[in-house]
Amino acid sequence: LSELLLKRRAEILHALCSSGSAEHLERVMDMLLAQGELGWEDCQNVLVPGRALYSNARQLLDLVYTKGADSCELFFSAVKQVLPEALGDAFFLSGCHSTLDYTEKPQRTSTEELLSQRPDLVLKLQGCIDGALRALVESGHFSSTDCDGIQLPIYTPSQQARRLLDLVRSKGESASLAVLQFVQQSLESESSLEQTNPNLTNEFVKYQKKLKSSVSAQSRFLSTYGGTSHMPLDDIYTEVQMELPSNSSDNYKSMSFEEIIGPVGTVNDDADTVLASGEAGSGKSTWLQRLHLLWAQGKALQDFLLLFPFSCRRLNSEQRDLSVQELLFQHCCWPDRGQEEIFQFILDHPHLVLFTFDGLDELKQSFADEQRICCPSQRAPVHVLLFNLIQGSLMKGVRKVVTSRPEAVGPALKKHLHKEIHLKGFSPSGIDCFVRKHHSDPNEAAKVLESLQANTALLGLCHSPVLCWIVSQCHKELLGCGEGSLQTITDVYLMILQHFFQHHSTVKSPIGVNWLQDNLGTVLHLGQLAFEGISNSSYIFSVTDMETCGVTESDICMGFLIQSKDMSLANSKCYEFLHITLQCFLAALFAILSRNSGCSAISKLFELQEMKKKRLRGTCFGACLNSTNTPNIAEEHSTMAETPNLQITATFVSGLLSQRYQKLLFQCSSSILVERKTKHAEKCLSKGMQQHFRSIPQPVQGEKKSMHAMPEFVWLIKCIYEMQNSRLAKDAMSKLEAEHLKLTYCNIGPVECTALAYVLQHLKNPVGIQLDNNSVGDVGVEQLLPCMHICSSLYLRNNNITDEGIRKLIDKVIHLQNFQKIALFNNRLTDACTKHFSYLLKTRQNFLSLRLGNNNITAKGAKQLAEGLKFNHSLQYLGLWGNKIGDEGAEALANALQNSESIVWLSLVGNGVGSAGACAISNIIKNSTSLEDLWLTENCITRTGVESLTQALKHNHHVKSVW
Ligand code: ADP
């Protein structure tokens, strides 16, 4: 046999190495190791990292040869198992008969077993490396550094399995046992899966493994860090707040993926599509990436056997007509065998399959329900397939999860939604958690958090994950620039711009005052690319696009662009901006700094409404740029993301044209041009505001003059704030005549509150501010304080406000005589807030209305309120619907109100009040001279209570209704 080895050396080497992959050689080694024929030292001598594969194989042949005939026999047996056909049967017949057997020998220790079963373990582990690593980390055998070392992307799954086994061996007996147990368990769960899904064939299971490892590889790292460093998603992911509009009681909690897919909040049982909507940067893509990763790791949504992830941004570049099968296999994961069989399984078991589509708003076509396709083998343009999948005429029963910005979700789409959730960014504790995860040094994290606490406008911005990321990324700049100097979104983006330039500067000294001028070339090249992209709805750029805009290799190196993973352009490199908001920011810089772009580009950015009306979206915007390179934009072309992106760009334009940045801009462009653009932007903003005011209808007799603001109004206000132009704010407010401003469902969070307060504080007369159904939160409440002096009534129903927000609010309004009414239905208030209201009631003898329905106030809170009520002579409306004050609370309130001469309306609906409470309340009916309406439904009042109430009514002439 030794002779044979020598004679056929070339042939054997070719068989082992010609594929270019080390897999065959390594498998042969596994078998020889398992047989005890090779030792670890031999292995190290053979598999030398960095040495050519053929050299390693030669080394093995030499080693086996020197070990003698027995060794050669085992070697041939191993080769026969690994490459049964490679050398031909005749070859093996010529002398080698033995087969390898590693099961019979009794093993003394787990480490020995690990070795003797190595070939088998490598096979089993390569499909579940993530799970095995997790088990080892959980059992304390591996650290995360150990895992990182094993999971380096340069290793194939089987190499990762071998590295895992090698490391386990070095960790000792108990680690070996943990791996053996893990493999055993996963075999058991696999066989139970096969029992519940008896149709799973071998090919299917292989495909599932391949899909899982591809999904896992794509989702393991946060992609926006691609340019700078790799951040494992597991390390940085922070829960985001969610709102289920159809189920308001559970809002703002974060929900598991099972809950999101499950029945809670379903609006249409027939539909299969779950939509997660949120503003740019609210974390939609990252959330979906998390879903993918947890599925691939076996930690979530395991009822779905297959998951196919799609990015709408990338689907845009698919020009061919495809069938569903082609879409799935070509865009997600290719089955090496059994395509038909796997696809048939998908068709037969739609409920075991999940599709995800990220960024529907970025698809070039708006959702339409026109062209129906029902046949999965019919080819159609990708967007048509997508719309048919979403609305269910294709692949009915397959669950789909779609993310989008809210603007892209029209009534046509809503009809086909199983449910909708809103992603609301980080909660205050989420910000804290993210910053701590982002900074490995706890002192550094503490400093960042401290500076956020000292600057609540910035803290408000950090509710948006993308801004929180920038602020954390730029912590050095942040800590260096002094408290309170960062106020606007533009400030934050200028900071990250500066950060990237500093990072890539060869000079290590701090960046100078001329930093923008020094990098003007890059800014203009990238700016043009960004600008043309925004006006064209292009978010992925080819090398040709980049050349057209003069983008150079060194511009790319700055880190604003990351390489795109576009499948359909696999052979040519293409790029996208780190985040869409960064693209908008660079576009805004270009609109201002480019000498070719005049004021018309600015006006078009601000005249979106007009543009929409005239159906000229896209077409005239591109034409405003006198640049010869501006591409032609097709007439028909319209994208859902377009308006919001133009709005974000316009917001940045406003910010950059602020007085504060004039000096910076003057260094880079003609001061006359910048000034002209500034004047122009101011004019557009004030014109936009006036248009809104003109839409205010004349009041119905007896009602207040009320303006129901549209989301565009909030955007205009934000632009004025970005500009930090108080003259403009004053001017605009001097023309507003409404007594009531309705801003319900306008997506108002802390950032919008900052802007609103900045502008509304200039109102001449007090107004009612109605902000129901937004996401104001405690930080938002704090941001509103500067305009509370012009606020007569504040409506904050359903806004995620806690006792802390109330404490700050009351601290301020206690001194403001205009402030007379507050409505806080459905927030997160507890007894702790009642002492503040009690203080307010005691102090302010012109306060009229307090509505605290649907919170968590108990008898204790009611008693606190009663303390205040005793000393108050003005309150007319008190609403406590849906709390838990019980008899004790009702008695305390009745006691305080029984002689009231002001209370007109009292609601204790749904408070667990029994007859004792009702009897006490009868005293208000009896003695109060003002009470007109009393609401006591949904309590547990029995006959005694009712009799007491009716008795009391006999002596009363004021009360109009008792419910
Ligand atoms: P969207 O898709 O809504 O525009 P992204 O998911 O792209 O937002 O988020 C922008 C950036 O914000 C991400 O690249 C990441 O840095 C950060 N981010 C978003 N969500 C999270 C999260 N849940 N945990 C940690 N970081 C997040």
Short mmCIF file of all heavy atoms in Angstrom, two decimals, residues 327-357:
data_model
loop_
_atom_site.label_atom_id
_atom_site.label_comp_id
_atom_site.label_asym_id
_atom_site.label_seq_id
_atom_site.Cartn_x
_atom_site.Cartn_y
_atom_site.Cartn_z
N LEU A 327 -37.86 34.45 -8.13
CA LEU A 327 -37.64 35.53 -7.18
C LEU A 327 -37.05 34.97 -5.87
O LEU A 327 -36.05 35.48 -5.35
CB LEU A 327 -38.96 36.24 -6.89
CG LEU A 327 -38.90 37.37 -5.88
CD1 LEU A 327 -38.25 38.60 -6.50
CD2 LEU A 327 -40.29 37.75 -5.37
N LEU A 328 -37.66 33.92 -5.37
CA LEU A 328 -37.20 33.36 -4.09
C LEU A 328 -35.79 32.81 -4.20
O LEU A 328 -34.91 33.15 -3.39
CB LEU A 328 -38.13 32.22 -3.65
CG LEU A 328 -39.57 32.57 -3.34
CD1 LEU A 328 -40.29 31.36 -2.78
CD2 LEU A 328 -39.63 33.69 -2.33
N PHE A 329 -35.59 31.98 -5.21
CA PHE A 329 -34.33 31.26 -5.25
C PHE A 329 -33.19 32.15 -5.75
O PHE A 329 -32.07 32.05 -5.27
CB PHE A 329 -34.46 30.00 -6.11
CG PHE A 329 -35.39 28.96 -5.49
CD1 PHE A 329 -35.91 27.92 -6.23
CD2 PHE A 329 -35.71 29.03 -4.14
CE1 PHE A 329 -36.75 26.98 -5.66
CE2 PHE A 329 -36.56 28.09 -3.55
CZ PHE A 329 -37.09 27.06 -4.32
N GLN A 330 -33.48 33.04 -6.70
CA GLN A 330 -32.38 33.84 -7.23
C GLN A 330 -32.03 35.01 -6.32
O GLN A 330 -30.90 35.43 -6.23
CB GLN A 330 -32.73 34.37 -8.62
CG GLN A 330 -32.79 33.24 -9.63
CD GLN A 330 -33.09 33.73 -11.03
OE1 GLN A 330 -33.00 34.92 -11.33
NE2 GLN A 330 -33.48 32.82 -11.90
N HIS A 331 -33.03 35.54 -5.63
CA HIS A 331 -32.73 36.71 -4.80
C HIS A 331 -32.38 36.35 -3.37
O HIS A 331 -31.81 37.17 -2.66
CB HIS A 331 -33.89 37.70 -4.83
CG HIS A 331 -33.83 38.62 -6.01
ND1 HIS A 331 -33.28 39.87 -5.95
CD2 HIS A 331 -34.20 38.43 -7.29
CE1 HIS A 331 -33.33 40.43 -7.14
NE2 HIS A 331 -33.89 39.57 -7.98
N CYS A 332 -32.77 35.16 -2.91
CA CYS A 332 -32.48 34.83 -1.51
C CYS A 332 -31.46 33.71 -1.38
O CYS A 332 -30.39 33.92 -0.84
CB CYS A 332 -33.75 34.45 -0.77
SG CYS A 332 -34.83 35.83 -0.58
N CYS A 333 -31.78 32.55 -1.87
CA CYS A 333 -30.88 31.43 -1.62
C CYS A 333 -31.17 30.34 -2.65
O CYS A 333 -32.31 29.95 -2.83
CB CYS A 333 -31.12 30.92 -0.20
SG CYS A 333 -30.14 29.50 0.23
N TRP A 334 -30.13 29.88 -3.28
CA TRP A 334 -30.29 28.93 -4.38
C TRP A 334 -30.25 27.50 -3.84
O TRP A 334 -29.29 27.13 -3.17
CB TRP A 334 -29.16 29.18 -5.39
CG TRP A 334 -29.28 28.29 -6.57
CD1 TRP A 334 -28.54 27.17 -6.83
CD2 TRP A 334 -30.22 28.41 -7.63
NE1 TRP A 334 -28.96 26.59 -7.99
CE2 TRP A 334 -29.99 27.34 -8.51
CE3 TRP A 334 -31.24 29.33 -7.93
CZ2 TRP A 334 -30.75 27.14 -9.67
CZ3 TRP A 334 -31.98 29.13 -9.08
CH2 TRP A 334 -31.73 28.06 -9.94
N PRO A 335 -31.27 26.67 -4.14
CA PRO A 335 -31.18 25.27 -3.69
C PRO A 335 -30.24 24.50 -4.62
O PRO A 335 -30.40 24.56 -5.83
CB PRO A 335 -32.61 24.75 -3.85
CG PRO A 335 -33.42 25.88 -4.38
CD PRO A 335 -32.51 26.95 -4.86
N ASP A 336 -29.27 23.82 -4.02
CA ASP A 336 -28.32 23.11 -4.88
C ASP A 336 -28.99 21.96 -5.61
O ASP A 336 -28.60 21.59 -6.70
CB ASP A 336 -27.15 22.60 -4.04
CG ASP A 336 -26.41 23.77 -3.43
OD1 ASP A 336 -26.23 24.77 -4.15
OD2 ASP A 336 -26.07 23.72 -2.24
N ARG A 337 -29.98 21.39 -4.97
CA ARG A 337 -30.73 20.28 -5.60
C ARG A 337 -32.20 20.39 -5.22
O ARG A 337 -32.54 21.04 -4.25
CB ARG A 337 -30.21 18.96 -5.07
CG ARG A 337 -28.99 18.52 -5.78
CD ARG A 337 -28.78 17.04 -5.57
NE ARG A 337 -27.36 16.79 -5.60
CZ ARG A 337 -26.74 15.90 -4.85
NH1 ARG A 337 -27.43 15.17 -4.01
NH2 ARG A 337 -25.44 15.73 -4.94
N GLY A 338 -33.00 19.71 -5.99
CA GLY A 338 -34.42 19.55 -5.63
C GLY A 338 -35.22 20.84 -5.63
O GLY A 338 -36.09 21.05 -4.79
N GLN A 339 -34.92 21.75 -6.58
CA GLN A 339 -35.65 23.04 -6.59
C GLN A 339 -37.16 22.85 -6.68
O GLN A 339 -37.91 23.50 -5.95
CB GLN A 339 -35.20 23.89 -7.79
CG GLN A 339 -33.82 24.46 -7.61
CD GLN A 339 -32.96 24.14 -8.81
OE1 GLN A 339 -33.46 23.97 -9.91
NE2 GLN A 339 -31.66 24.06 -8.60
N GLU A 340 -37.55 21.97 -7.60
CA GLU A 340 -38.99 21.80 -7.81
C GLU A 340 -39.66 21.29 -6.54
O GLU A 340 -40.71 21.76 -6.13
CB GLU A 340 -39.25 20.82 -8.96
CG GLU A 340 -38.78 21.32 -10.33
CD GLU A 340 -39.26 22.73 -10.62
OE1 GLU A 340 -40.42 23.06 -10.31
OE2 GLU A 340 -38.46 23.55 -11.15
N GLU A 341 -38.99 20.32 -5.96
CA GLU A 341 -39.53 19.69 -4.76
C GLU A 341 -39.66 20.72 -3.61
O GLU A 341 -40.69 20.80 -2.93
CB GLU A 341 -38.55 18.59 -4.39
CG GLU A 341 -38.79 17.83 -3.15
CD GLU A 341 -37.50 17.07 -2.78
OE1 GLU A 341 -36.92 16.39 -3.65
OE2 GLU A 341 -37.09 17.19 -1.63
N ILE A 342 -38.64 21.57 -3.48
CA ILE A 342 -38.67 22.56 -2.39
C ILE A 342 -39.77 23.59 -2.66
O ILE A 342 -40.52 23.97 -1.76
CB ILE A 342 -37.29 23.23 -2.24
CG1 ILE A 342 -36.29 22.20 -1.73
CG2 ILE A 342 -37.35 24.43 -1.30
CD1 ILE A 342 -34.85 22.61 -1.83
N PHE A 343 -39.86 24.00 -3.92
CA PHE A 343 -40.89 25.00 -4.22
C PHE A 343 -42.28 24.41 -4.02
O PHE A 343 -43.19 25.08 -3.52
CB PHE A 343 -40.72 25.52 -5.66
CG PHE A 343 -41.58 26.70 -5.93
CD1 PHE A 343 -41.40 27.89 -5.21
CD2 PHE A 343 -42.59 26.66 -6.87
CE1 PHE A 343 -42.21 28.99 -5.43
CE2 PHE A 343 -43.41 27.76 -7.09
CZ PHE A 343 -43.21 28.92 -6.37
N GLN A 344 -42.41 23.13 -4.39
CA GLN A 344 -43.71 22.48 -4.18
C GLN A 344 -44.05 22.45 -2.68
O GLN A 344 -45.19 22.67 -2.29
CB GLN A 344 -43.67 21.04 -4.75
CG GLN A 344 -45.05 20.41 -4.87
CD GLN A 344 -46.02 21.26 -5.71
OE1 GLN A 344 -45.66 21.71 -6.79
NE2 GLN A 344 -47.23 21.51 -5.21
N PHE A 345 -43.03 22.21 -1.87
CA PHE A 345 -43.27 22.20 -0.43
C PHE A 345 -43.80 23.58 0.02
O PHE A 345 -44.74 23.69 0.80
CB PHE A 345 -41.96 21.88 0.33
CG PHE A 345 -42.14 21.91 1.82
CD1 PHE A 345 -42.45 20.75 2.51
CD2 PHE A 345 -42.04 23.10 2.54
CE1 PHE A 345 -42.65 20.76 3.88
CE2 PHE A 345 -42.25 23.13 3.91
CZ PHE A 345 -42.55 21.96 4.59
N ILE A 346 -43.19 24.65 -0.52
CA ILE A 346 -43.62 26.00 -0.16
C ILE A 346 -45.08 26.21 -0.56
O ILE A 346 -45.89 26.73 0.20
CB ILE A 346 -42.71 27.06 -0.82
CG1 ILE A 346 -41.28 26.91 -0.30
CG2 ILE A 346 -43.23 28.47 -0.60
CD1 ILE A 346 -40.26 27.75 -1.02
N LEU A 347 -45.41 25.75 -1.77
CA LEU A 347 -46.80 25.91 -2.23
C LEU A 347 -47.77 25.11 -1.37
O LEU A 347 -48.87 25.56 -1.07
CB LEU A 347 -46.92 25.45 -3.69
CG LEU A 347 -46.18 26.28 -4.73
CD1 LEU A 347 -46.34 25.67 -6.11
CD2 LEU A 347 -46.69 27.72 -4.74
N ASP A 348 -47.31 23.92 -0.95
CA ASP A 348 -48.21 23.06 -0.17
C ASP A 348 -48.33 23.49 1.29
O ASP A 348 -49.29 23.14 1.96
CB ASP A 348 -47.71 21.60 -0.20
CG ASP A 348 -47.80 21.01 -1.60
OD1 ASP A 348 -48.51 21.60 -2.43
OD2 ASP A 348 -47.14 19.98 -1.87
N HIS A 349 -47.29 24.18 1.79
CA HIS A 349 -47.30 24.55 3.22
C HIS A 349 -47.05 26.03 3.40
O HIS A 349 -46.06 26.43 4.04
CB HIS A 349 -46.21 23.77 3.98
CG HIS A 349 -46.34 22.30 3.86
ND1 HIS A 349 -45.74 21.57 2.86
CD2 HIS A 349 -47.02 21.42 4.62
CE1 HIS A 349 -46.04 20.30 3.01
NE2 HIS A 349 -46.83 20.17 4.07
N PRO A 350 -47.90 26.88 2.84
CA PRO A 350 -47.62 28.32 2.92
C PRO A 350 -47.49 28.83 4.35
O PRO A 350 -46.71 29.74 4.62
CB PRO A 350 -48.81 28.96 2.20
CG PRO A 350 -49.87 27.92 2.17
CD PRO A 350 -49.18 26.59 2.16
N HIS A 351 -48.23 28.21 5.28
CA HIS A 351 -48.20 28.70 6.65
C HIS A 351 -46.86 28.42 7.34
O HIS A 351 -46.62 28.91 8.44
CB HIS A 351 -49.35 28.08 7.45
CG HIS A 351 -49.28 26.59 7.47
ND1 HIS A 351 -49.56 25.83 6.35
CD2 HIS A 351 -48.93 25.73 8.46
CE1 HIS A 351 -49.39 24.55 6.65
NE2 HIS A 351 -49.01 24.46 7.92
N LEU A 352 -45.99 27.65 6.69
CA LEU A 352 -44.68 27.40 7.30
C LEU A 352 -43.60 28.31 6.71
O LEU A 352 -42.41 28.11 6.93
CB LEU A 352 -44.28 25.94 7.09
CG LEU A 352 -45.21 24.88 7.71
CD1 LEU A 352 -44.73 23.48 7.39
CD2 LEU A 352 -45.28 25.08 9.22
N VAL A 353 -44.04 29.31 5.94
CA VAL A 353 -43.08 30.14 5.21
C VAL A 353 -43.32 31.61 5.52
O VAL A 353 -44.45 32.05 5.67
CB VAL A 353 -43.22 29.89 3.68
CG1 VAL A 353 -42.21 30.70 2.91
CG2 VAL A 353 -43.07 28.40 3.38
N LEU A 354 -42.22 32.35 5.62
CA LEU A 354 -42.31 33.79 5.91
C LEU A 354 -41.48 34.56 4.88
O LEU A 354 -40.36 34.18 4.58
CB LEU A 354 -41.73 34.02 7.32
CG LEU A 354 -41.70 35.43 7.86
CD1 LEU A 354 -43.12 35.94 8.11
CD2 LEU A 354 -40.92 35.49 9.16
N PHE A 355 -42.08 35.62 4.33
CA PHE A 355 -41.33 36.52 3.44
C PHE A 355 -41.19 37.86 4.17
O PHE A 355 -42.13 38.29 4.83
CB PHE A 355 -42.10 36.83 2.15
CG PHE A 355 -42.35 35.66 1.23
CD1 PHE A 355 -43.22 35.79 0.16
CD2 PHE A 355 -41.70 34.46 1.41
CE1 PHE A 355 -43.46 34.74 -0.70
CE2 PHE A 355 -41.93 33.39 0.56
CZ PHE A 355 -42.82 33.53 -0.50
N THR A 356 -40.05 38.51 4.01
CA THR A 356 -39.95 39.88 4.55
C THR A 356 -39.50 40.83 3.44
O THR A 356 -38.68 40.46 2.60
CB THR A 356 -38.95 39.97 5.72
OG1 THR A 356 -37.63 39.78 5.22
CG2 THR A 356 -39.24 38.95 6.80
N PHE A 357 -40.06 42.02 3.46
CA PHE A 357 -39.70 43.05 2.48
C PHE A 357 -39.34 44.32 3.23
O PHE A 357 -40.19 44.94 3.86
CB PHE A 357 -40.88 43.33 1.53
CG PHE A 357 -41.27 42.12 0.71
CD1 PHE A 357 -42.32 41.32 1.11
CD2 PHE A 357 -40.57 41.79 -0.43
CE1 PHE A 357 -42.67 40.19 0.37
CE2 PHE A 357 -40.90 40.68 -1.18
CZ PHE A 357 -41.96 39.87 -0.78
#
